[in-house]
Amino acid sequence: MFSKLSKLTLVIAIVAAASCNRNIQKGPSSTTSSPNTSSSSSTPPSSADNVPSEPSKGDISMSGMEAEILDNINQYRASIGKPAMKNAPAASAEAAKHSASMASKSSGFGHAGFKIRITNITRQIGPVSAAAENVAYGKLTAREVVDGWIKSPGHKKNIEGVYTLSGIGLAKNDKGVIFFTQIFLKK
């Protein structure tokens, strides 16, 4: 029971730390930013937890977990009368790169490079009118990370937003710590 409690405590602390929301106006360099929570309160994992590695054989399927996260998010959205979001492979690829960057400590835990990720996505899918991003890390199940995001006002706002597309990417280091990124888009 203690390890389960520790995981839940960890996810609540993590998801309260960083949420990002961007409303994108059409046209170059006309983005406005309104963070939902302060990233200054985030506590990055210790350096011992940030050593990158590939998931070992027999580990949880990362793509299966990504699909499970989107399914859990869409079940929650349905419960509040919101339409399901569809998977956007271009957004998933960018989310996976960001999670890998956080896991390898190439970037800190947070939203560094968000505008670049959105630019890369729009080059593939065309313009979007709004975008947001949730991140988390920990030894968490899909259900635990989604429950944690729903309990955090900034992350919950993104989940409940007007978004129609989503991309989810995960990366795991050799300590089993998973870095989660979910990108939200409105076409």
Side-chain angles (χ1 to χ4, degrees):
M1 180 64 183
F2 178 75
S3 65
K4 188 75 161 177
L5 179 60
S6 296
K7 283 199 236 179
L8 291 175
T9 302
L10 177 61
V11 75
I12 290 167
I14 292 165
V15 298
S19 178
C20 187
N21 183 334
R22 304 279 194 258
N23 291 321
I24 300 173
Q25 308 298 321
K26 291 185 180 175
S29 302
S30 60
T31 62
T32 57
S33 159
S34 56
N36 292 315
T37 60
S38 172
S39 62
S40 63
S41 65
S42 73
T43 306
S46 71
S47 59
D49 287 343
N50 282 327
V51 181
S53 75
E54 293 296 316
S56 63
K57 298 283 185 204
D59 244 346
I60 288 177
S61 161
M62 298 296 264
S63 63
M65 186 180 249
E66 292 163 354
E68 187 178 348
I69 289 169
L70 184 57
D71 185 53
N72 289 333
I73 294 282
N74 281 334
Q75 286 176 20
Y76 173 77
R77 286 175 59 91
S79 77
I80 60 167
K82 298 280 185 177
M85 291 183 289
K86 294 180 181 170
N87 180 52
S92 293
E94 288 298 317
K97 288 178 195 173
H98 183 54
S99 290
S101 178
M102 291 187 294
S104 69
K105 294 181 71 174
S106 296
S107 68
F109 175 72
H111 304 286
F114 176 74
K115 288 181 182 180
I116 294 167
R117 285 189 289 286
I118 300 308
T119 298
N120 291 341
I121 294 165
T122 59
R123 284 184 184 139
Q124 295 180 55
I125 69 168
V128 297
S129 61
E133 177 178 81
N134 286 351
V135 298
Y137 71 88
K139 293 182 179 181
L140 307 167
T141 66
R143 175 85 278 168
E144 288 169 332
V145 76
V146 170
D147 286 347
W149 279 337
I150 290 169
K151 291 175 184 170
S152 166
H155 296 89
K156 183 177 179 181
K157 181 178 178 183
N158 291 342
I159 290 168
E160 294 179 349
V162 297
Y163 306 105
T164 56
L165 300 172
S166 179
I168 299 167
L170 314 176
K172 185 187 291 188
N173 67 21
D174 70 347
K175 302 293 183 187
V177 176
I178 303 171
F179 290 76
F180 302 84
T181 303
Q182 182 174 18
I183 296 173
F184 301 84
L185 303 165
K186 180 180 180 191
K187 274 295 270 171

